[in-house]
Amino acid sequence: MSASTAPVTTTVTGWGRTAPTAARLIRPRTYEEAAAAVRECGARGGIPRGLGRAYGDAAQNAGGAVFDMTGLDRIHAIDADDGTVLCGAGVSLHRLMEVLLPLGWFVPVTPGTRQVTVGGAIGADIHGKNHHVSGSFSRHVLSFELLTADGEIRTVGRGTPLFEATAGGMGLTGVILTATLRLLPVETSLMSVDTERASDLDDLMARLAGTDHRYRYSVAWIDLLARGAATGRAVLTRGDHAPLDALPARARARALEFRTPRFPAAPAFLPEGLLSRTTVGLFNELWYRKAPRARTGELQRISSFFHPLDGVPHWNRVYGRGGFVQYQFVVGHGREDTLRRIVRRIADRRCPSFLAVLKRFGEADPGWLSFPLPGWTLALDIPAGLPGLGAFLDGLDEEVATAGGRVYLAKDSRLRPELLAAMYPRLDDFRALRARVDPRGVFVSDLSRRLAL
């Protein structure tokens, strides 16, 4: 093992910064170094990690090894005619946008941050604002190379059990080394965006259900502190990639230019209690009021539409030293009453959340532990130190499971294991395949131990 890949014992945490654990961090730069890292990871096993944007403990491994895969960051081949790219698992979505947008191609799915690696995108089977049209990330993966526990490198194609276990499998089937992706053609690096306000949750759901089919991308910021007649009021933002003729003539020469604004980093720590119900309530009121009642065709940069928080380095520090919990669940169509009850419970509990979004999911994806199912998904950030938060979220978990829904493992840090089988019906298949390809339990994480995956 070279000096650059020598293990360094360090504290590792998720983006929510709630449950740090110590592990040996190893950064392989070649297939051979990755194989050596897996072979020598020790009794506590190892888990691959990308850029650390999983909110909970999915990419942590207390007392074991964590494989930092960002060293495998080469873009190996681009077929600009067919719209495919072969790249290393450590390549970020940001890097892909930098390289592909000038060629007229865009990543098929992006979450709320472009600071995600391709390997992490597959392992978490990420989704974005376009799930109702395009599904999750793995739907656009043609194949990937997977380093399994026996040291073998397998080429894994769509429709195979190993593909479906790895997509959404949180790194527990092996280490993704490369992937081949199908891309989305675009004419510009701008978005044509429609924005409108919804007066309450029912108004919001009606707008989403009635007109989402007109848009490739759709998301609603929701005010979870509003109560009474305003419960669930929201700002709905939808759009698509702007065609070339939507740009002023003087801007068309730079139509595919990728620009990303950057603002000062968040301070190392903000005073505890700064994100109180009062301050978040004021922010939510101002955010809702400043939004247009209805605006169409606004041109926005890709970075502003998809990734506004990426412009603020270390924005996760705003929650203070205690960090935050991101809670995301989905319930199916026909379960709108469950969604209404949960939104009312959150509003009545006065959870100070200013980052809360509601989206509609389309068809389910093939991954056995993939999160999306057809229906409604709500995600919200909550300061981890909120009194009684654990018991409150346990109660929401029960409602979600009873309704046939599930929570997102890539954002989870506290789900009780007894609810997992009800939320993920293919769990037994996943466990059985994992036992076959990794009988010694080489790949393990804090999340897998907590949930007995």
Side-chain angles (χ1 to χ4, degrees):
M1 185 172 292
S2 68
S4 64
T5 58
V8 176
T9 299
T10 187
T11 299
V12 181
T13 185
W15 191 245
R17 301 171 53 249
T18 55
T21 54
R24 290 177 294 113
L25 195 66
I26 306 171
R27 191 170 188 259
R29 296 180 180 274
T30 65
Y31 285 18
E32 293 76 17
E33 290 179 353
V38 169
R39 187 171 57 249
E40 300 165 12
C41 64
R44 293 284 288 182
I47 193 71
R49 179 183 176 94
L51 287 167
R53 292 304 178 104
Y55 284 77
D57 54 3
Q60 299 173 215
N61 182 21
V66 170
F67 312 128
D68 176 351
M69 301 306 298
T70 57
L72 274 68
D73 58 355
R74 287 184 56 201
I75 296 177
H76 297 283
I78 299 170
D79 188 331
D81 296 321
D82 191 41
T84 60
V85 60
L86 169 63
C87 61
V91 173
S92 69
L93 298 192
H94 175 88
R95 179 61 180 154
L96 286 181
M97 292 176 198
E98 284 185 322
V99 172
L100 296 171
L101 266 170
L103 303 177
W105 296 98
F106 190 63
V107 295
V109 171
T110 178
T113 174
R114 60 187 178 273
Q115 303 301 334
V116 176
T117 62
V118 168
I122 298 170
D125 202 12
I126 60 170
H127 56 270
K129 298 177 175 69
N130 60 340
H131 191 277
H132 64 291
V133 172
S134 303
S136 62
F137 194 85
S138 66
R139 195 179 297 185
H140 308 273
V141 176
L142 302 179
S143 64
F144 52 79
E145 289 182 300
L146 187 72
L147 172 64
T148 49
D150 57 6
E152 182 180 350
I153 297 175
R154 311 184 190 203
T155 299
V156 183
R158 297 179 54 80
T160 63
L162 190 53
F163 186 102
E164 294 171 0
T166 302
M170 306 312 297
L172 295 170
T173 60
V175 178
I176 297 171
L177 299 173
T178 65
T180 302
L181 315 176
R182 184 163 298 285
L183 305 168
L184 177 71
V186 296
E187 295 181 11
T188 74
S189 62
L190 295 173
M191 306 296 296
S192 177
V193 181
D194 294 353
T195 305
E196 58 192 283
R197 292 194 308 207
S199 59
D200 58 32
L201 183 60
D202 284 338
D203 181 29
L204 172 60
M205 289 193 292
R207 291 171 189 255
L208 285 166
T211 58
D212 250 12
H213 63 280
R214 303 176 189 169
Y215 299 90
R216 180 179 296 275
Y217 302 100
S218 180
V219 66
W221 170 87
I222 185 169
D223 182 359
L224 291 177
L225 282 174
R227 292 187 290 181
T231 299
R233 67 179 181 177
V235 178
L236 178 56
T237 307
R238 295 179 288 188
D240 206 336
H241 298 275
L244 186 62
D245 59 14
L247 274 61
R250 65 182 183 278
R252 293 177 188 175
R254 304 191 312 277
L256 290 168
E257 185 176 83
F258 181 48
R259 291 179 292 168
T260 58
R262 191 172 180 86
F263 303 103
F269 295 106
L270 291 182
E272 298 295 334
L274 183 64
L275 294 182
S276 66
R277 295 179 177 95
T278 300
T279 56
V280 173
L282 177 61
F283 171 87
N284 287 3
E285 180 70 26
L286 293 173
W287 192 259
Y288 180 77
R289 295 296 174 190
K290 86 173 187 63
R293 292 186 181 276
R295 180 175 61 202
T296 60
E298 180 190 16
L299 293 179
Q300 295 183 9
R301 293 180 184 177
I302 275 176
S303 55
S304 299
F305 181 77
F306 289 109
H307 316 118
L309 287 174
D310 278 353
V312 184
H314 308 296
W315 66 261
N316 57 339
R317 295 173 178 172
V318 303
Y319 293 89
R321 295 180 183 274
F324 69 100
V325 171
Q326 175 149 125
Y327 185 70
Q328 183 169 6
F329 69 90
V330 58
V331 292
H333 294 303
R335 296 291 187 170
E336 286 78 9
D337 283 347
T338 299
L339 177 62
R340 292 186 186 98
R341 279 196 306 273
I342 290 176
V343 168
R344 284 197 299 269
R345 288 183 65 177
I346 294 170
D348 290 342
R349 182 69 172 72
R350 309 295 289 155
C351 293
S353 177
F354 67 94
L355 291 175
V357 296
L358 182 73
K359 293 179 289 199
R360 289 177 73 241
F361 280 159
E363 294 181 11
D365 299 289
W368 293 346
L369 296 186
S370 290
F371 169 65
L373 56 83
W376 304 90
T377 181
L378 178 66
L380 61 147
D381 291 353
I382 313 172
L386 192 69
L389 180 61
F392 176 71
L393 293 181
D394 285 348
L396 299 190
D397 291 341
E398 296 281 357
E399 283 218 49
V400 169
T402 300
R406 57 185 63 143
V407 300
Y408 191 15
L409 297 183
K411 296 183 177 179
D412 177 59
S413 58
R414 25 81 35 213
L415 179 68
R416 302 195 315 275
E418 59 267 25
L419 293 178
L420 195 63
M423 292 181 172
Y424 289 90
R426 301 297 301 272
L427 178 62
D428 285 345
D429 293 328
F430 177 81
R431 285 170 169 160
L433 183 141
R434 188 176 171 222
R436 291 196 301 274
V437 299
D438 185 9
R440 296 183 294 113
V442 170
F443 297 109
V444 64
S445 65
D446 291 354
L447 179 139
S448 72
R449 290 191 186 95
R450 175 169 57 82
L451 294 179
L453 284 170

